Amino acid sequence: MIFLKLVVQKYGGSSLASIERIKKITEKIVKTVKNGKKLIVVVSAMGKTTDKLVFLARRLSEKPNPRELDMLLSCGEQISAALLSIYLDRIGMKAVSLNAFQARILTTSDFNSARIKDIDDRKLRSLAFHNDVLLVTGFQGINENDELTTLGRGGSDTSAVAIAAKLGTICEIYSDVAGIYTTDPRIFPQAKKLSYITYDEMLEFSALGARVLHSRSVEIAKKYSVPIYCASSFSNEEGTWVMGKLPEWLERPVVTGATIEKNQVKVSVYSLKNSKATADVFRELAEKGFNVDMISLVSNSGDINLSFTIVESNSVDVQKAMRDLDCEIKITGGFSKVSIIGLGMKYQRGVAAKFFEVLRKKNIEPEMITTSEIKISCLVHEDKAEDLLKELCQVFGL
Amino acid sequence: MIFLKLVVQKYGGSSLASIERIKKITEKIVKTVKNGKKLIVVVSAMGKTTDKLVFLARRLSEKPNPRELDMLLSCGEQISAALLSIYLDRIGMKAVSLNAFQARILTTSDFNSARIKDIDDRKLRSLAFHNDVLLVTGFQGINENDELTTLGRGGSDTSAVAIAAKLGTICEIYSDVAGIYTTDPRIFPQAKKLSYITYDEMLEFSALGARVLHSRSVEIAKKYSVPIYCASSFSNEEGTWVMGKLPEWLERPVVTGATIEKNQVKVSVYSLKNSKATADVFRELAEKGFNVDMISLVSNSGDINLSFTIVESNSVDVQKAMRDLDCEIKITGGFSKVSIIGLGMKYQRGVAAKFFEVLRKKNIEPEMITTSEIKISCLVHEDKAEDLLKELCQVFGL
């Protein structure tokens, strides 16, 4: 096998939203090639293309056939791959675009939420050898019957990291966000950009709505130790490395970041007789496909007190789904979830105490609190949430 | 092999131009399925999609890389196939969309103007057996390296007829035109719709710009004896059959139709020394990819008088191409070509005489006249052309 200096880069939809932006991102691509690298560029669909295609499909059917929806949606990335390739060719690069058939990105048959099973790295290596840049359609794959599948929203990150994993290279993710920040700068303008973050911390960030990286892509990166570099498509500003371990010389902060997730609904369940009844609740919800987030359960000599959160858009359906169960429920909306995340919480005590001190000082009554090894999440009324986040950022120096 | 009552239908871009139209054309599809048929529906891109994609590509490159352009353009048909499939699924039909990879439409590698080499009819038959309707993307194919190709503008007709040829079925072509007319009804409103027309007549019609059927599709239909039925997508009005032979009982008209082709340019070549020099002219033009239409040559004892027509958009390039040849040329624009076509001309004399009589009566000076077995074409000044066409329609009862 010939040794190629391969790099995988991924460009998000907003970086490809217009002809001008498509031209602009090639600056980074050309620079990488001029540095002697062979490039595999994974692209998302241009701007709002996927939304527009979904909108067309919904006008024809409330629940579009999943296989056919994937046939439809996969066109978005093929259009941006071809356009980018046309421009690279125009400016003298040897560029070839590949869709999921051509790159042989094999997935499961779960239309709309397929998982990558394998990628033909020999074909990619051979094509990379003969060209400067391969443009590969993100977000999509094919199953064993050559049917098109898609990986779910944000799946292009997953495509890029999976290709990098298979080729043993790093993965650069470029978007309109210049890296990973300690918290959302729109809420807390003093938020700092992180130079490094671990996979585990990033997984909590993604799940909590930081939305810079699709969480499945981070899982794959973690599994195969793929270093991810997140940065801006249009500037040369330093971005953020997502890795397994922070560099040794780095002073490890206790709390790495804070997040806020809005539109949370709290479901409280009463009169549950035993743990079998509790299991029934979650089995019922899982079977109907609902995502349950925070779960809090306290049992006092047979008196089970269960609460969990769901997203607002599911609340009517969850109410229906639980109608057949032998329990009383109460659904209350208007909450936000505020969380702090940090690998350092594993090693340093007193973080929870500090957190409660902030709540007391701000006179905020928490509706629910859950914790993991590297995270504390707190459900509060939405009109208190931003204030809490800002105070937490102050206290933990974010 | 199981016997299936297979029918191929093709719907043009304007019949798929909106969500409402997509819903509307399914009426014909459902009716065909309810009549016990298995349907293969070949689709074009929605409305002006292909033009829009070409426009995007041109903003990135004056001459987009042909391979990449085909990657781009093939998305148009995939979108319409998926959308139509989504709606058919919604109204209870078993429908599956297939792109060129999935239908295994193998072509040559001539990007932008590929020719179909083979189609996997076993796969189509097997899928047709298990479904009500297969939606197949027209206009595209794959070469032996699994690269996407396209067949050139209007290529969806070719896809449909090629599939019908391979499966041994008839091919129904639906568009916003209700059939083949004796002449353009916009110019001569009394034009009649034909019930039948032969392949040879239709080939002359297509080449002369009647634009109802792509001429290559008629060539394939003729070669494999595929009956084509052209009719309106949205009405049940009788359309036109295009076949090898007219039915025996049909009274054969001498002239079947008349056409007009605008924007013609006449090239006159002087000082050609011999037939080698003439051959050089046409070889030069062919190598540069120009289409020469009418050719008229008269040689009087070594004095060669050559004229031919080209389309207006080529006139500057043709002038350049001929600069290196040892001859004088004169290029004059502002002409139209008016033709009458009819298989009956083979058997009945005096058609040319009638034609010249019309020219004399209308006081029109022809610039060039060429004839084939079933056609007479005449180049005239464009301001006389419509008048000539109308008079010819009157005289030949079109």
Side-chain angles (χ1 to χ4, degrees):
Chain A
M1 200 165 66
I2 298 143
F3 180 72
L4 297 174
K5 286 180 192 159
L6 278 171
V7 175
V8 175
Q9 291 184 345
K10 181 251 166 179
Y11 292 89
S14 74
S15 306
L16 297 154
S18 67
I19 293 293
E20 289 66 35
R21 292 193 188 179
I22 287 175
K23 289 183 180 177
K24 185 83 182 147
I25 59 167
T26 58
E27 289 172 15
K28 221 180 263 291
I29 293 171
V30 170
K31 201 174 147 192
T32 313
V33 172
K34 293 231 163 111
N35 281 336
K37 305 283 201 320
K38 294 284 190 176
L39 246 184
I40 295 178
V41 172
V42 176
V43 292
S44 298
M46 291 174 75
K48 300 278 168 213
T49 305
T50 307
D51 290 337
K52 283 180 200 159
L53 291 174
V54 168
F55 177 72
L56 283 178
R58 288 266 158 81
R59 284 181 64 198
L60 289 165
S61 172
E62 276 174 46
K63 291 198 174 169
N65 178 294
R67 180 198 182 277
E68 301 305 324
L69 190 62
D70 282 355
M71 268 299 263
L72 180 70
L73 298 186
S74 60
C75 293
E77 286 73 23
Q78 190 168 321
I79 289 171
S80 37
L83 287 174
L84 189 51
S85 184
I86 283 169
Y87 189 66
L88 288 167
D89 174 80
R90 157 80 185 68
I91 60 174
M93 297 270 114
K94 278 196 80 174
V96 168
S97 66
L98 302 172
N99 63 18
F101 285 97
Q102 294 162 340
R104 307 303 303 163
I105 298 173
L106 301 175
T107 71
T108 61
S109 286
D110 310 301
F111 297 112
N112 310 167
S113 59
R115 285 177 170 265
I116 295 175
K117 285 162 68 182
D118 202 7
I119 292 166
D120 186 348
D121 58 318
R122 279 186 309 172
K123 183 164 182 187
L124 287 178
R125 273 181 210 280
S126 150
L127 282 168
F129 179 72
H130 294 286
N131 292 280
D132 298 321
V133 187
L134 306 183
L135 290 315
V136 178
T137 52
F139 175 62
Q140 62 195 265
I142 48 167
N143 68 11
E144 55 190 5
N145 300 320
D146 270 358
E147 291 174 302
L148 276 162
T149 58
T150 66
L151 311 178
R153 295 310 285 265
S156 292
D157 290 344
T158 306
S159 307
V161 173
I163 291 171
K166 188 78 190 187
L167 296 173
T169 75
I170 65 160
C171 183
E172 302 173 355
I173 307 260
Y174 294 106
S175 69
D176 51 0
V177 183
I180 318 288
Y181 287 81
T182 51
T183 194
D184 189 338
R186 286 169 300 186
I187 298 172
F188 188 68
Q190 305 97 302
K192 296 166 199 154
K193 188 158 56 181
L194 297 162
S195 295
Y196 294 91
I197 186 171
T198 62
Y199 297 129
D200 288 330
E201 289 169 321
M202 193 61 218
L203 280 171
E204 297 288 3
F205 264 64
S206 300
L208 292 169
R211 253 176 277 152
V212 181
L213 266 179
H214 199 226
S215 60
R216 217 156 75 218
S217 69
V218 184
E219 283 167 23
I220 296 173
K222 183 184 172 188
K223 189 166 171 189
Y224 297 99
S225 301
V226 177
I228 301 179
Y229 178 68
C230 297
S232 160
S233 302
F234 302 113
S235 86
N236 292 317
E237 216 179 293
E238 278 294 304
T240 305
W241 283 98
V242 188
M243 307 174 85
K245 268 192 199 172
L246 301 189
E248 286 296 325
W249 49 264
L250 205 71
E251 203 180 328
R252 186 175 279 148
V254 179
V255 174
T256 310
T259 63
I260 191 165
E261 223 179 336
K262 298 181 179 179
N263 301 321
Q264 300 295 301
V265 165
K266 180 184 169 191
V267 182
S268 298
V269 189
Y270 307 102
S271 324
L272 283 171
K273 292 189 190 93
N274 47 39
S275 63
K276 190 190 157 295
T278 314
D280 284 346
V281 168
F282 291 110
R283 205 197 46 237
E284 183 72 18
L285 292 171
E287 277 173 4
K288 299 262 162 73
F290 297 113
N291 245 331
V292 170
D293 185 11
M294 301 174 82
I295 297 175
S296 161
L297 185 146
V298 179
S299 173
N300 279 325
S301 48
D303 181 18
I304 296 172
N305 187 340
L306 170 67
S307 290
F308 55 84
T309 61
I310 55 175
V311 289
E312 204 164 77
S313 55
N314 281 344
S315 59
V316 174
D317 291 332
V318 165
Q319 191 145 30
K320 271 189 214 159
M322 293 185 67
R323 202 178 288 156
D324 301 335
L325 294 170
D326 186 20
C327 60
E328 277 173 56
I329 64 164
K330 189 179 148 198
I331 298 190
T332 333
F335 296 113
S336 291
K337 184 169 72 166
V338 177
S339 308
I340 55 171
I341 299 142
L343 207 62
M345 288 161 70
K346 275 190 187 179
Y347 310 101
Q348 186 153 339
R349 277 148 39 161
V351 178
K354 248 187 184 170
F355 195 104
F356 281 100
E357 185 57 31
V358 170
L359 287 172
R360 192 197 56 76
K361 181 184 160 198
K362 285 280 161 182
N363 215 5
I364 296 171
E365 285 298 321
E367 284 284 325
M368 272 175 87
I369 287 184
T370 56
T371 61
S372 80
E373 262 196 316
I374 65 169
K375 183 186 66 169
I376 301 178
S377 293
C378 176
L379 192 72
V380 297
H381 269 284
E382 57 193 7
D383 50 2
K384 305 273 186 173
E386 294 200 0
D387 197 30
L388 174 60
L389 183 85
K390 285 176 196 165
E391 186 67 20
L392 288 168
C393 288
Q394 292 287 4
V395 167
F396 289 104
L398 298 179
Chain B
M1 201 167 65
I2 297 144
F3 181 72
L4 296 175
K5 286 180 192 158
L6 278 171
V7 174
V8 175
Q9 291 184 344
K10 182 253 167 179
Y11 291 90
S14 74
S15 307
L16 296 153
S18 66
I19 293 293
E20 289 67 35
R21 290 191 188 180
I22 288 175
K23 288 184 180 177
K24 184 84 181 150
I25 58 166
T26 57
E27 289 173 14
K28 223 181 262 291
I29 293 170
V30 170
K31 200 172 145 192
T32 314
V33 172
K34 292 230 163 116
N35 281 336
K37 306 282 202 318
K38 293 285 190 176
L39 245 185
I40 295 176
V41 173
V42 175
V43 292
S44 297
M46 289 173 78
K48 300 279 169 212
T49 305
T50 307
D51 290 337
K52 283 181 200 160
L53 291 173
V54 169
F55 177 73
L56 284 177
R58 289 264 158 79
R59 284 182 63 197
L60 290 164
S61 172
E62 276 174 46
K63 289 197 177 174
N65 179 294
R67 180 198 183 276
E68 300 304 324
L69 189 61
D70 281 355
M71 267 302 263
L72 180 70
L73 297 186
S74 60
C75 294
E77 286 72 24
Q78 190 168 320
I79 289 171
S80 37
L83 287 174
L84 188 51
S85 185
I86 283 169
Y87 188 66
L88 287 168
D89 174 80
R90 155 82 184 70
I91 60 173
M93 299 269 113
K94 278 197 80 174
V96 168
S97 66
L98 302 172
N99 61 20
F101 287 98
Q102 295 163 338
R104 307 303 302 162
I105 298 173
L106 301 175
T107 70
T108 61
S109 286
D110 310 300
F111 297 112
N112 310 168
S113 59
R115 287 179 168 263
I116 294 177
K117 286 162 68 182
D118 202 7
I119 293 166
D120 187 348
D121 58 318
R122 278 186 310 172
K123 183 163 182 189
L124 288 178
R125 273 181 212 281
S126 148
L127 282 168
F129 179 73
H130 293 287
N131 293 279
D132 298 322
V133 187
L134 305 184
L135 289 316
V136 178
T137 53
F139 175 63
Q140 62 195 266
I142 50 168
N143 68 11
E144 56 191 3
N145 299 322
D146 271 359
E147 292 174 301
L148 276 162
T149 58
T150 65
L151 311 178
R153 294 311 284 265
S156 292
D157 290 343
T158 306
S159 307
V161 173
I163 291 171
K166 189 78 191 189
L167 296 173
T169 74
I170 66 161
C171 183
E172 302 173 355
I173 307 260
Y174 294 107
S175 70
D176 52 0
V177 183
I180 318 289
Y181 287 80
T182 51
T183 194
D184 190 338
R186 286 170 300 184
I187 298 172
F188 188 67
Q190 304 98 303
K192 295 167 199 153
K193 187 159 57 184
L194 297 162
S195 295
Y196 294 91
I197 187 170
T198 62
Y199 296 129
D200 288 329
E201 289 168 321
M202 193 62 219
L203 281 170
E204 296 289 2
F205 264 64
S206 300
L208 292 169
R211 251 176 278 152
V212 181
L213 266 179
H214 198 227
S215 60
R216 217 156 76 220
S217 69
V218 184
E219 283 165 23
I220 297 174
K222 183 183 172 188
K223 189 167 172 190
Y224 297 99
S225 300
V226 177
I228 300 179
Y229 178 70
C230 297
S232 160
S233 301
F234 301 114
S235 85
N236 291 317
E237 217 181 291
E238 277 295 305
T240 304
W241 283 97
V242 188
M243 307 172 84
K245 269 192 197 172
L246 302 188
E248 287 296 326
W249 50 262
L250 204 71
E251 203 181 329
R252 186 174 282 148
V254 178
V255 175
T256 310
T259 62
I260 192 165
E261 221 178 338
K262 298 181 179 178
N263 302 321
Q264 300 296 301
V265 166
K266 182 184 168 189
V267 183
S268 297
V269 189
Y270 308 101
S271 324
L272 283 172
K273 291 187 190 96
N274 48 38
S275 63
K276 191 191 157 295
T278 316
D280 284 346
V281 170
F282 290 111
R283 205 199 44 238
E284 183 72 17
L285 292 172
E287 275 173 4
K288 298 263 163 73
F290 298 113
N291 244 331
V292 170
D293 186 10
M294 300 172 84
I295 297 176
S296 163
L297 184 146
V298 179
S299 172
N300 280 322
S301 48
D303 181 18
I304 295 172
N305 186 341
L306 169 68
S307 291
F308 56 84
T309 61
I310 55 173
V311 288
E312 205 164 79
S313 54
N314 280 344
S315 59
V316 175
D317 291 332
V318 165
Q319 193 144 28
K320 270 189 216 157
M322 294 184 67
R323 203 178 287 157
D324 301 334
L325 294 170
D326 185 20
C327 60
E328 279 173 52
I329 64 164
K330 189 179 148 200
I331 297 191
T332 333
F335 297 113
S336 291
K337 183 168 71 165
V338 178
S339 309
I340 54 171
I341 297 142
L343 207 63
M345 288 160 69
K346 276 189 185 177
Y347 311 103
Q348 188 155 339
R349 278 150 38 164
V351 177
K354 248 185 181 170
F355 196 104
F356 280 100
E357 184 57 33
V358 170
L359 288 172
R360 192 197 58 76
K361 181 182 160 198
K362 286 279 164 183
N363 217 4
I364 297 171
E365 284 299 323
E367 285 284 326
M368 272 176 86
I369 288 186
T370 55
T371 61
S372 80
E373 263 197 316
I374 63 167
K375 181 185 70 169
I376 301 177
S377 294
C378 176
L379 193 72
V380 296
H381 269 285
E382 57 192 6
D383 51 2
K384 305 271 186 177
E386 293 199 1
D387 197 29
L388 174 59
L389 183 85
K390 283 176 197 166
E391 186 67 21
L392 288 168
C393 288
Q394 291 286 2
V395 167
F396 290 103
L398 299 177

